[in-house]
Amino acid sequence: MTKESEDLEREKETLRERTMMRVYYAAKSGFPTQMLALLNEIKDEEERRSIVNQEFYEDDHQVYTPLIVATLNGHANVVHIMLELADPDLEKEGCVKVHGELTDGATALWVAAGVGRRNIVKMLLQHGAQVDHCTKKGSTPLRAACFEGRLDVIQYLIDHNADVCTANMYNNTCVMIAAYKNYTHVLQYLLEKGAKVNEQAQCGASALYYAAECGHVEVCEILLDNGAVLSRNTFGLTPALAAAERTREAVVQVFLQRPGLLTKEDRIEVMELLGASYANDKDNYSLVKAFHYLLSAMELRYEDPDNIIRKPFFEPVPAYEHWVECQTLQDLLAIRYNHNSLHMESLTIRERILGNQCPEVAHAIVFRGAICADNGRFDRCESLWLHALRLRQQNGLQVQRDLLRFVQLFSQEYSINETIRFENVISVLGACVDELRYNQQKMAIPGPRDDLEAIADNYEMNIVTVLYLITIITKLLRKEQFVRTEEQTLQMYQMVYQLNLMMVRLRDDQTLLHLAVNGVTPVDDFHTDDVCRFPCVDTVRLLLKCGARVDVVDSDRNTPLHTLTSTLQLAVLRMPDANVKSVVKEITELFIEAGIHLDAVNADGLKASQVCVQSCVAAFIKSYETRAINLCCLAARAIAQHRIPYRKLVPRHLEAFVQLHCTPKS
């Protein structure tokens, strides 16, 4: 190919790209006249079709074609022109954000249905769009319309043979959406068109379950009138129990008043759970209602003297003060005005009925613990929160907020000189280690439904939380009156050692040691910032004592000393200049004792003294460099300076040593 032909081809490609962009922006902005002119300029039909099927990438991983973006923005005239002149691929999929949620595999028809563009839905179907084309997660245009509650769109889709029974990859149906969103008119229409009322999602929840959980009375009545049954979800909860757990009193009454719907045992269980939930619900707390339903349930147990329905035995829980449930009316009446007893009775009932594998159990426990803390009963708070934490961890639930909540509690206790129980601190530290290990496993081998980005966010939050906890521990160890045993101290050291072995790191590869010396390490502002401030000498000392490596580098190849010296500007704002120098001196000496190489360079080829933001501190570190120099460092620097090849020519451990003294290009 000659140079002239190459230039011609390049010019044609540039012109084509320009045309593609103009078509896309005409579609996106809704310029029908411009779109008409652009498409008429393209004489080749295949080329025209290719251009309107081109994918364009937007922020937040969104992918559009001109047809999809025009549909999303409601430009019906532009859609009409493309359909008539360009014969676009109607099944071309994009990745579209609708109502704040990203949907992969969405066609123009799905988007039109999801945002309620009936006129565009009509045009697309008339031109042959597949009415049941699914997204990557199995959502159809009908499901999208149901989520929006657009009965007119739903009717049009069903009139054109949309399947009312299609479920997505989680087996959620259109009926479930209508029930959850409280769209009674949509629900009635779907049922009239043959939608199944008793389908269950993968979690075992039915449409009736979702409606009951959300407190939608009319929806529950419609579903029951159409043959809905009280099926159980994967945790064994029926819709009646779900309503009781959420204190949906009106819905519970619907179930209780339906003849033959609940057995006597079911009625007792539902009323007990409703009463127990009222006693420990953040938004609907009411001891009056709690006692009313607990009493009604107890009376029903003893309604037939010849057939008393006794409570099953439930192993007392230490966190509930080893409470044993009331067995008789007299027992219950005796605690009527004892609020603490009613709270413990209710927590015990909730765990008995819901089971310790149900994720809903922990909410009430956390709430009760928070109330105890507000009343100065920190010991009770710690006990309850630890129980909730164990329940959540044993069921594989996320606990990053639980762990941070403990750090906030311990910080508050420390600030007001309240007694902190070291055994509880160790339990939380152990939970942090377990959770970080679990996070690492999830990131290494994610499940099909795992969100890697969310797992990574949780992992980072847990790393920072465990840093706070270690810092709090160092404060406690300095208090002479702090009660602890040698065995507990050894246990704590072993856990910190485990953390160091796990090499927990942020996305930028900062380790706990980097964070401990980082002047810009974020600190939670709810009590925690009163105790945890960085750089922290004691935290560094503890990490080094428990095996933290000083030669670790982050993604920019900064050693912990680089991080310390380059982030002093914020530390200066928090402490006097003399204190900053003292902290830097102590930490530097700890690093030197641990074997750090002061002449190690980062990705920019700079030593820690060269990235220092304070000249006096830089001079101070340089003085150490002069004293700490050795022959090995000089040899490594000579290899770097003269770019002598060394990789695969020296032992692997020496490769790392030389690399510490070289820039990446060396």
Side-chain angles (χ1 to χ4, degrees), residues 208-221 224 230 238-244 246-258 261-262 270 274 278 293:
L208 183 58
Y209 187 99
Y210 288 122
E213 187 178 48
C214 295
H216 304 326
V217 175
E218 188 178 354
V219 171
C220 288
E221 290 174 334
L224 289 169
L230 300 184
T238 65
L241 289 173
R246 294 292 181 93
T247 62
R248 308 297 191 187
E249 186 179 19
V251 173
V252 170
Q253 288 300 330
V254 168
F255 293 130
L256 291 174
Q257 291 167 14
R258 284 249 167 177
L261 185 63
L262 299 172
V270 168
L274 180 59
Y278 266 125
Y293 283 106

Side-chain angles (χ1 to χ4, degrees), residues 106-386:
T107 62
L109 181 59
W110 189 95
V111 173
V115 294
R117 315 282 191 201
R118 185 183 182 279
N119 55 342
I120 298 179
V121 167
K122 184 176 179 180
M123 276 190 278
L124 292 168
L125 286 174
Q126 287 173 345
H127 280 79
Q130 292 181 20
V131 73
D132 285 327
H133 187 125
C134 295
T135 65
K136 293 290 189 283
K137 292 187 177 180
S139 176
T140 62
L142 181 59
R143 281 180 50 82
C146 287
F147 196 84
E148 186 65 12
R150 288 296 300 267
L151 185 57
D152 57 337
V153 176
I154 292 166
Q155 289 171 332
Y156 193 86
L157 289 167
I158 292 176
D159 287 344
H160 286 76
N161 302 315
D163 186 352
V164 296
C165 296
T166 298
N168 69 358
M169 66 183 292
Y170 307 117
N171 211 43
N172 284 310
T173 65
C174 294
V175 169
M176 292 175 193
I177 294 173
Y180 175 76
K181 300 284 283 185
N182 201 24
Y183 297 146
T184 54
H185 57 303
V186 172
L187 179 64
Q188 289 276 26
Y189 182 75
L190 290 171
L191 294 173
E192 287 170 10
K193 291 297 178 178
K196 297 175 182 177
V197 73
N198 284 315
E199 291 292 292
Q200 290 178 268
Q202 285 182 359
C203 64
S206 62
L208 183 58
Y209 187 99
Y210 288 122
E213 187 178 48
C214 295
H216 304 326
V217 175
E218 188 178 354
V219 171
C220 288
E221 290 174 334
I222 292 170
L223 291 168
L224 289 169
D225 290 341
N226 282 271
V229 297
L230 300 184
S231 54
R232 295 182 182 272
N233 72 353
T234 51
F235 297 106
L237 299 187
T238 65
L241 289 173
E245 195 282 324
R246 294 292 181 93
T247 62
R248 308 297 191 187
E249 186 179 19
V251 173
V252 170
Q253 288 300 330
V254 168
F255 293 130
L256 291 174
Q257 291 167 14
R258 284 249 167 177
L261 185 63
L262 299 172
T263 65
K264 188 175 183 178
E265 287 80 1
D266 290 338
R267 293 167 65 83
I268 291 169
E269 202 171 48
V270 168
M271 286 193 288
E272 283 182 341
L273 182 57
L274 180 59
S277 298
Y278 266 125
N280 291 285
D281 189 272
K282 179 182 177 182
D283 299 316
N284 298 303
Y285 176 76
S286 172
L287 275 186
V288 173
K289 287 187 176 182
F291 186 79
H292 167 73
Y293 283 106
L294 293 179
L295 184 63
S296 298
M298 189 68 80
E299 288 171 342
L300 200 55
R301 286 183 178 277
Y302 284 85
E303 183 182 48
D304 182 359
D306 298 324
N307 187 24
I308 297 172
I309 303 173
R310 301 194 182 277
K311 291 185 178 184
F313 175 75
F314 183 74
E315 191 70 38
V317 176
Y320 304 155
E321 300 176 338
H322 296 277
W323 185 264
V324 176
E325 278 187 60
C326 297
Q327 300 297 316
T328 65
L329 279 167
Q330 289 72 26
D331 290 344
L332 188 58
L333 289 168
I335 66 168
R336 180 172 190 170
Y337 300 108
N338 187 323
H339 292 187
N340 183 64
S341 296
L342 280 174
H343 295 148
M344 294 305 105
E345 171 84 2
S346 298
L347 289 175
T348 305
I349 289 171
R350 277 179 56 85
E351 191 162 337
R352 167 173 61 81
I353 294 174
L354 295 173
N356 56 22
Q357 292 185 329
C358 178
E360 309 302 331
V361 174
H363 302 314
I365 304 170
V366 171
F367 168 70
R368 182 52 44 204
I371 298 301
C372 289
D374 290 343
N375 292 324
R377 293 295 310 275
F378 294 106
D379 57 332
R380 297 288 304 117
C381 176
E382 289 177 15
S383 179
L384 288 165
W385 283 3
L386 275 173

Side-chain angles (χ1 to χ4, degrees), residues 2-17:
T2 64
K3 185 177 185 302
E4 289 78 7
S5 60
E6 284 182 4
D7 291 343
L8 186 61
E9 284 297 319
R10 195 177 298 115
E11 187 178 335
K12 287 167 76 174
E13 186 59 32
T14 301
L15 184 62
R16 185 176 187 275
E17 288 179 3

Side-chain angles (χ1 to χ4, degrees), residues 315-602:
E315 191 70 38
V317 176
Y320 304 155
E321 300 176 338
H322 296 277
W323 185 264
V324 176
E325 278 187 60
C326 297
Q327 300 297 316
T328 65
L329 279 167
Q330 289 72 26
D331 290 344
L332 188 58
L333 289 168
I335 66 168
R336 180 172 190 170
Y337 300 108
N338 187 323
H339 292 187
N340 183 64
S341 296
L342 280 174
H343 295 148
M344 294 305 105
E345 171 84 2
S346 298
L347 289 175
T348 305
I349 289 171
R350 277 179 56 85
E351 191 162 337
R352 167 173 61 81
I353 294 174
L354 295 173
N356 56 22
Q357 292 185 329
C358 178
E360 309 302 331
V361 174
H363 302 314
I365 304 170
V366 171
F367 168 70
R368 182 52 44 204
I371 298 301
C372 289
D374 290 343
N375 292 324
R377 293 295 310 275
F378 294 106
D379 57 332
R380 297 288 304 117
C381 176
E382 289 177 15
S383 179
L384 288 165
W385 283 3
L386 275 173
H387 183 56
L389 176 62
R390 292 184 187 111
L391 288 175
R392 281 179 169 155
Q393 279 199 306
Q394 75 184 27
N395 291 314
L397 301 176
Q398 296 176 0
V399 297
Q400 67 273 10
R401 297 197 180 281
D402 299 78
L403 297 174
L404 180 60
R405 193 182 294 117
F406 265 111
V407 166
Q408 293 166 342
L409 177 67
F410 292 144
S411 297
Q412 182 183 5
E413 291 176 300
Y414 182 86
S415 297
I416 63 175
N417 205 27
E418 184 72 28
T419 300
I420 300 178
R421 286 142 289 278
F422 200 41
E423 64 272 18
N424 290 345
V425 177
I426 291 174
S427 294
V428 177
L429 181 60
C432 286
V433 174
D434 291 341
E435 192 64 14
L436 286 165
R437 188 177 287 115
Y438 179 70
N439 292 152
Q440 288 181 337
Q441 291 169 353
K442 277 287 186 183
M443 288 190 292
I445 312 174
R449 295 177 63 176
D450 286 332
D451 182 343
L452 267 178
E453 195 66 23
I455 294 171
D457 288 342
N458 295 340
Y459 182 55
E460 290 208 346
M461 183 174 175
N462 289 330
I463 290 173
V464 176
T465 297
V466 82
L467 176 73
Y468 299 156
L469 189 58
I470 291 170
T471 302
I472 292 169
I473 288 171
T474 65
K475 307 290 185 186
L476 295 174
L477 294 178
R478 290 176 69 92
K479 294 178 71 172
E480 292 182 6
Q481 70 274 29
F482 182 64
V483 178
R484 65 186 185 278
T485 65
E486 288 186 14
E487 184 180 353
Q488 289 172 336
T489 306
L490 178 60
Q491 192 177 358
M492 178 271 296
Y493 286 143
Q494 289 171 337
M495 289 179 182
V496 178
Y497 175 71
Q498 283 297 317
L499 283 170
N500 286 323
L501 280 183
M502 290 162 61
M503 286 300 290
V504 294
R505 293 173 178 262
L506 301 186
R507 286 184 178 88
D508 60 3
D509 272 345
Q510 284 195 87
T511 64
L512 288 172
L513 199 56
H514 284 92
L515 292 170
V517 299
N518 195 331
V520 295
T521 293
V523 181
D524 175 74
D525 60 0
F526 189 73
H527 297 298
T528 312
D529 57 354
D530 294 332
V531 179
C532 300
R533 297 181 182 181
F534 303 101
C536 177
V537 176
D538 289 335
T539 304
V540 171
R541 184 178 287 111
L542 178 55
L543 287 169
L544 291 174
K545 183 173 183 176
C546 295
R549 292 169 50 191
V550 289
D551 59 348
V552 289
V553 293
D554 65 16
S555 57
D556 291 322
R557 292 190 51 205
N558 292 304
T559 67
L561 187 59
H562 281 89
T563 301
L564 171 67
T565 58
S566 64
T567 60
L568 286 175
Q569 66 272 25
L570 195 61
V572 169
L573 298 176
R574 291 199 304 256
M575 61 181 86
D577 191 52
N579 287 7
V580 171
K581 291 178 185 176
S582 173
V583 165
V584 173
K585 182 175 185 296
E586 282 193 69
I587 292 177
T588 303
E589 288 174 349
L590 286 171
F591 283 164
I592 291 171
E593 187 180 339
I596 199 169
H597 288 270
L598 299 175
D599 56 345
V601 296
N602 64 11

